[in-house]
Amino acid sequence: MRHKLAAGNWKMNGLSGDLAEIEALIAAHPAPKVEMLICPPATLLSRMADTVGDHPLHLGGQDCHAAPDGANTGDISAAMLVDAGARYVILGHSERRTDHGETDAVVKAKAEAARTEGLVSVICVGETLAEREAGETLGLVGRQLAGSLPDAPIAADVVIAYEPVWAIGTGKAPTSDQIAEVHGFLRAEIKRHMGVEGDGVRILYGGSVKAGNAAEIFAIPDVDGALVGGASLTAGDFSPIVTALENA
Ligand code: PGA
């Protein structure tokens, strides 16, 4: 059985005062039936880890460098994320792929660095609207998956997030049929790469998930949770999504 995962990506949002949202979130879910994950900006990681204490809420980074250390001004290594309290790291988010030119090979190298340090990678794939309209969605996400997975992956090392670029931050989520098609395809591709081990890999949906559509999305086969941006920033918005996943 795959343990469902409700993940929040705070992106470039969050100051010290926002730690109160984490206090509220863990108070609302003292014993969550699903795995909860928040990926704050790196500046908040270690203080958020203190706030979380021994609550099972996990923390993650939003990116890491592929190198273990060195002359990489502004970058953060996988070991630094672990040191600050992270268990996970988001890799290959479309905003990284677009704004920082990250290729599948770069994402793969980062996933291997993350694994070396014991971090679980949340590897993001997803098509633009133009790619969808050109009928390229499955081919594209299949190529992103194949190129971004670390060598010899095991299920405990990776989570895949399907995030159509056109659905991120737009309020425009795909239809259930569109999500089901891509998640079913990704499951088959993951098993083609990993064999039966691929049954254990969680596939998250991300892009305009909110309280109002979460239950419908979580009812789709092969949706094992969500990667949530805007609606993860407050406990008030994220908590009902966690509850919807618990009830799915
Ligand atoms: P959104 O972002 O929930 O704000 O659409 C999702 C993401 O980019 O992970």
Side-chain angles (χ1 to χ4, degrees), residues 136-244:
E136 290 168 0
T137 299
L138 299 184
L140 186 276
V141 298
R143 280 196 304 282
Q144 287 179 323
L145 176 77
S148 305
L149 279 173
D151 278 335
I154 62 166
D157 288 339
V158 289
V159 171
I160 303 301
Y162 168 54
E163 298 207 308
V165 177
W166 51 274
I168 294 175
T170 59
K172 259 199 305 180
T175 64
S176 293
D177 285 349
Q178 287 173 322
I179 296 174
E181 181 189 31
V182 178
H183 279 241
F185 173 78
L186 284 170
R187 174 71 58 209
E189 285 296 288
I190 291 166
K191 287 172 76 169
R192 197 165 65 76
H193 293 294
M194 297 174 60
V196 287
E197 180 78 16
D199 276 323
V201 174
R202 291 170 291 180
I203 309 176
L204 309 182
Y205 169 75
S208 296
V209 176
K210 39 192 186 302
N213 61 11
E216 186 183 339
I217 290 170
F218 295 150
I220 300 168
D222 278 306
V223 173
D224 302 308
L227 180 55
V228 183
S232 72
L233 293 174
T234 66
D237 285 337
F238 195 54
S239 176
I241 295 172
V242 174
T243 302

